């Protein structure tokens, strides 16, 4: 008989079990299953709004499936990973984990849930529809080769941890107001992200106007050994303060980030962008980025359950 454990906080040994499952999925699929936001929430033990769902079966010393919800700015993100040896059980594991996640959200007062899926198949569409979920956002992964051969014509500097934190939060939260994952960041989230092994202030380019932070481009170099991927440089977060939009800064800061990555010997750049972010998609296309793959979300607005406070 299958056992489903629901964890609002993750212990170290449970994180290790889940990591083994994620590694097995990464080896089978050639890419890491959880998005960065969810992965960091998992390895950091789970912030408020986190729930991890561990499915296990007798006779298997590893979880057969793992699902997670993490609370973002205005919605929960949900992802589901089935162990490569148990994918034939998708039709039963999927609904159990989805229903459990919806129950947890209902019990916590309800809210929007986005189930993120890498290149959904008809099986995902069916599972989503059975759970009352409708097609929602799409996220492009775009890529281009480096170097770009294009000149950076604005001055940038490295981010200074500590003294730039509040200015960065202000630009980020103003630029991404209403964005599901990137908006509404707190100093805690930001400081936690700065503790990541890949964090490099030199790769976090900042442009000031009259002593005020006007735009930034935060890059990330993927460790190929750690995540089972090719060496890649990522435009991790880029934004221009709304007071300075439309002056060419988005283009210049992207180029500054790409120049930094190329300087580190990276030959392939990638980024994630919402398909309906017309300004950003057209900026990236203009700079030679092309769509590499698509993640899609199925969305459901979960009502609070009777006992919710
Ligand atoms: C996307 C963003 C960085 C663009 O910054 P910007 O400084 O206003 O853009 P630029 O002036 O450099 O414009 C460069 C190109 O972007 C595209 N672009 C910018 N704003 C646009 C808009 N409102 N509509 C359509 N295209 C637009 C155009 O292709 C433009 O080239 P053009 O001027 O030759 O037409 C900015 O809108 C922003 O910070 N948005 C919020 C955060 C965000 O979405 N970041 C990207 C997440 S992946």
């Amino acid at each position: 008989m299958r056992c489903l454990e629901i964890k609002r906080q993750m212990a170290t040994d449970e994180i290790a079990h889940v990591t083994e499952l994620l590694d097995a999925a990464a080896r089978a699929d050639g890419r890491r299953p959880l998005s960065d936001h969810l992965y960091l929430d998992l390895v950091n033990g789970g912030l408020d709004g986190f729930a991890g769902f561990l499915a296990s079966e007798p006779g298997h010393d590893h979880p057969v499936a793992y699902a997670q919800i993490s609370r973002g700015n205005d919605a929960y993100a949900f992802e589901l990973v089935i162990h490569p040896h148990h994918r034939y059980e998708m039709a039963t594991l999927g609904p159990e984990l989805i229903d459990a996640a919806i129950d947890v959200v209902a019990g916590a007062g309800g809210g929007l849930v986005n189930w993120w899926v890498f290149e959904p198949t008809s099986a995902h569409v069916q599972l989503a529809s059975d759970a009352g979920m409708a097609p929602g956002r799409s996220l492009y992964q775009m890529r281009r080769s480096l170097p770009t051969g294009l000149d950076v014509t604005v001055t940038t500097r490295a981010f200074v941890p500590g003294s730039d934190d509040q200015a960065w939060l202000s630009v980020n939260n103003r630029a991404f107001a209403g964005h599901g994952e990137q908006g509404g960041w707190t100093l805690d989230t930001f400081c936690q992200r700065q503790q990541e092994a890949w964090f490099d202030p030199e790769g976090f380019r900042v442009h000031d106007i009259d002593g005020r932070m006007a735009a930034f481009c935060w890059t990330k170099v993927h460790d190929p050994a750690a995540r089972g991927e090719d060496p890649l440089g990522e435009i991790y977060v880029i934004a221009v303060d709304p007071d300075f939009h439309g002056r060419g800064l988005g283009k210049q800061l992207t180029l500054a980030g790409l120049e930094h990555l190329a300087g580190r010997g990276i030959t392939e750049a990638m980024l994630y962008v919402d398909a309906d972010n017309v300004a950003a998609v057209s900026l990236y296309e203009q700079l030679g980025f092309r769509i590499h793959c698509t993640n899609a979300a199925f969305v459901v607005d979960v009502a609070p359950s009777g006992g919710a406070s």
Side-chain angles (χ1 to χ4, degrees), residues 30-32 34-37 39-40 141-143 146 196-200 218-237 260-261 264-272 292:
R31 58 172 185 84
R32 293 298 289 183
L34 285 190
S35 71
D36 210 45
H37 293 280
Y39 180 70
L40 291 174
Q141 187 194 121
M142 300 181 84
R143 293 194 182 192
L146 296 178
E196 290 302 312
W198 52 263
F199 181 75
D200 173 15
W218 182 0
T219 64
K220 168 180 178 180
V221 175
H222 289 221
D223 173 357
R227 301 214 57 171
E229 294 165 343
D230 295 333
L232 279 175
E234 179 174 349
I235 300 289
Y236 187 61
V237 194
H260 170 82
L261 292 170
R264 295 217 22 204
I266 307 282
T267 56
E268 180 90 348
M270 58 85 88
L271 54 84
Y272 291 99
H292 179 73

Side-chain angles (χ1 to χ4, degrees), residues 175-176 238-241 244-252 271-274 277-280 282-284 286:
F176 286 102
I238 175 163
V240 176
D241 187 283
F244 302 104
H245 279 184
R247 299 184 184 192
L249 288 180
K251 183 175 177 180
Q252 285 302 317
L271 54 84
Y272 291 99
V273 59
D274 269 290
N277 189 341
V278 177
S282 102
L283 161 67
Y284 300 140
Q286 204 184 89

